[in-house]
Structures are given as structure tokens and as C-alpha cells.
């Protein structure tokens, strides 16, 4: 396997504190969870989704086991919306919500008690569907703020699995800062989100969608060593398969290795060209399944509809074996 850029100074995955570990096990039922950064996308009608109807979340959860809940980064949903999400998904489905931007970027994790109470009060009607919560920290949250992170972790509600995405360059380039952050997260049973945005920086830089996507996606080294048993990968794909597929293949080998070691990873696949994201996620699942026993993903509702109506779906140019399993 061609190695990923792994500068982690940490050793093997450490043990979580018992309370949080039990909660994570309850909220991560699959050996491998995979999904996309959203579910409401009209670009997927006629492929992932049926051409008619608006029940996107229900159709999404027929295929994928998790979704990256970016909506909560910008605002909390209404109670009525949360109830509609509960009704649309099975209990085994997992929402991996992001903490609100107002807490992670504006307040920089300070005075978190009230916002966290409101956050979980609003989402708790989802029951076990609330999986790991992600705290995506801004690029200016550096080593000098690890004290704020520690106080936040101390006050973090018991039994709530947490993963933190660090974006300050020092947490990747400076071994001492990286180790301090990893040790702090591990000691509180929190994961460190792994972000791989290299594909959008290495492929055709003139692609209009890629040029827009690069700005918010930092080109940082990859620390591909889990801190606990439930690593989270956020993979940002280039729309050109020749650029993306080699990196997906290397990640598939890493993910299969973790599964073989008893870890239970989650992967989310993004793409600047939205219509390609589901196919790339399915390809990742295929690549992992080729290395370790996994059940096949269900057929897409849109593909089932197409076969029933003898329709021909447009090819994305990825392969001839588009159907998983």
C-alpha cells in the first residue's frame, strides 16, 4: 500500500473512558459506516433518488448508514423538522451532526453549557440516530487554545461521542503540538476527524467547481492514526476519476485494515460536482468490501426505478461495475 501522509506521533488506538465508549458502541452499530455530506440534493434524482417525490432522506437512508449533518453548523432545525427526520430514518441510521458555528468559530468553545444543552435538547428526539457529534474548529484555533479545548472536553456531556477536527497548521507540522492535541483528545475519549482534501489540490486546478471548493478545504497533512475505536474520515474528491480513484483505493486499504483490527470507522465522501459524490462513495464501499467481508450496499432507489421502467442512466465514467455487490 502506498502510504498516506501520516505524521501522527500517537501509537495504537487508545482505550476510551468506559462511559463514552459504551455510548459510542450503542450509536455505531456497523463495522463500517459510509455516507455523504448531505441528503437534500436534486442532482441525485434519477440516479440515487427516484425522479419524482421529495422524500430524499427516506431514500437516502435506504442506501447509506450515516450522513454528515452540516445543517446544524449553520442553524438548529425546528422540532417539527427533527420529528420528520426521525420518521424518515430507521433506528440504525446515524446523523453525525456538526456543532453550531456560533460555538466552534465565534465563541471558540467557551461558555458552551447553554448552547450544548439546546443542541442536544433539540436533537434528542432522534434517539439512537444521533451518532458522533463533530466539532470542526477554525484554522486560527491553535496550540495556544488547547486549554479552552480541555475545559470544553471536561464539560462535554457524559455518554455523548465526540470527534474534533483541527485545522491549525501547527497540529500537523509541529510534533509537540500534534502529540499534545492527540493525547488530550484520547484522554477524554474523543476522536480526531481525518480530513483528506488533497485530491482537489492535486488534480485539474482549472476545473471551475474545484476552484471554488479548494478555498474552504485546507491542504493539510493527513494524520491517519485513530485515537479510539471509531475513526472518522472526511474525503474530498476531485470530480475527475483519474485523480480521485487512486486515493480512494489507498483509503480503502487503510479502512479495511482498521476493520480487521476491530475498529469501526465512518467515511463521508464529498465532491465539488455533487452528482458524482454518491458514485464515488459507492466505489469506496466496493473497494473496502473487496478487502474485508462487508455486505453489499442496497440498490439505489433511482436505479431500481430505472430498471423497472427500462430507462438508461447516464454514465459517470467510473466503471462498468457500478452496482455494488
Amino acid at each position: 500500500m502506498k502510504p498516506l501522509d501520516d505524521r501522527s506521533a500517537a501509537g495504537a488506538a487508545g482505550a476510551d473512558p468506559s462511559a463514552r465508549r459504551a455510548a459510542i458502541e450503542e450509536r455505531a452499530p456497523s463495522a463500517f459506516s459510509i455516507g455523504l455530506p448531505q441528503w437534500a440534493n436534486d442532482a441525485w434524482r434519477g440516479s440515487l433518488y427516484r425522479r419524482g417525490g421529495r422524500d430524499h432522506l427516506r431514500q437516502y437512508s435506504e442506501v447509506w448508514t450515516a450522513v454528515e449533518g452540516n445543517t446544524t453548523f449553520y442553524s438548529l432545525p425546528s422540532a417539527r423538522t427533527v420529528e420528520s427526520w426521525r420518521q424518515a430514518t430507521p433506528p440504525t441510521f446515524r446523523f453525525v451532526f456538526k456543532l453550531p458555528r456560533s460555538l466552534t468559530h465565534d465563541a471558540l468553545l467557551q461558555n458552551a453549557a447553554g448552547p450544548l444543552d439546546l443542541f442536544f435538547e433539540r436533537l434528542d428526539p432522534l434517539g439512537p440516530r444521533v451518532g458522533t457529534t463533530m466539532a470542526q474548529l477554525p484554522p486560527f484555533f491553535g496550540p495556544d487554545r488547547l486549554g479552552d479545548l480541555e475545559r470544553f472536553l471536561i464539560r462535554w456531556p457524559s455518554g455523548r461521542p465526540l470527534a474534533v477536527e483541527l485545522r491549525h497548521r501547527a497540529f500537523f507540522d509541529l510534533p509537540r503540538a500534534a502529540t499534545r492535541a492527540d493525547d488530550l483528545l484520547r484522554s477524554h475519549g474523543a476522536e480526531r476527524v481525518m480530513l483528506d482534501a488533497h485530491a482537489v489540490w492535486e488534480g485539474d486546478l482549472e476545473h471551475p467547481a474545484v476552484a471554488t471548493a479548494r478555498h474552504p478545504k485546507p491542504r493539510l497533512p493527513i494524520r491517519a492514526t485513530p485515537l479510539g475505536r471509531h475513526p472518522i474520515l472526511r474525503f474530498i474528491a476531485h470530480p475527475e476519476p483519474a485523480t480521485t480513484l487512486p486515493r480512494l483505493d489507498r483509503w480503502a486499504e487503510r479502512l479495511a485494515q482498521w476493520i480487521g483490527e476491530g475498529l469501526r470507522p465512518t467515511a463521508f465522501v464529498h465532491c465539488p460536482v455533487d452528482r458524482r459524490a454518491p458514485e464515488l462513495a459507492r466505489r469506496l464501499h466496493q473497494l473496502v468490501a473487496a478487502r474485508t467481508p462487508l455486505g453489499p450496499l442496497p440498490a439505489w432507489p433511482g436505479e431500481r426505478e430505472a430498471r423497472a421502467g427500462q430507462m438508461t442512466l447516464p454514465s459517470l465514467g467510473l466503471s462498468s461495475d457500478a452496482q455494488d455487490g
Side-chain angles (χ1 to χ4, degrees), residues 73 98-101 103-110 134-142 145-146 148-150 152-153 162-168 171-172 181 184-185 193 195 216 218 220 234:
F73 184 70
K98 284 184 182 178
L99 287 177
R101 177 187 179 92
L103 177 57
T104 57
H105 287 55
D106 298 337
L108 298 177
L109 303 183
Q110 300 182 57
M134 286 198 297
Q136 184 184 89
L137 299 180
F140 50 86
F141 193 103
R145 294 192 174 274
L146 283 179
D148 293 327
L149 177 57
E150 181 174 20
F152 175 80
L153 293 171
L162 173 68
V164 177
E165 183 176 324
L166 298 168
R167 292 191 167 192
H168 193 286
F171 292 126
F172 301 86
L184 176 60
L185 293 172
V193 175
L195 173 68
L220 296 168
R234 300 179 67 232

Side-chain angles (χ1 to χ4, degrees), residues 201-253:
W201 290 92
E202 295 172 356
D204 178 9
L205 302 184
E206 300 304 318
H207 192 292
V210 171
T212 302
R214 282 200 309 272
H215 174 68
K217 302 295 189 293
R219 189 179 188 180
L220 296 168
I222 300 165
R223 295 180 62 79
T225 299
L227 302 184
R229 294 192 61 242
H230 301 84
I232 292 181
L233 166 67
R234 300 179 67 232
F235 181 85
I236 317 300
H238 193 285
E240 294 181 349
T243 300
T244 288
L245 294 183
R247 295 198 70 84
L248 276 186
D249 191 66
R250 294 197 293 274
W251 271 114
E253 188 164 342

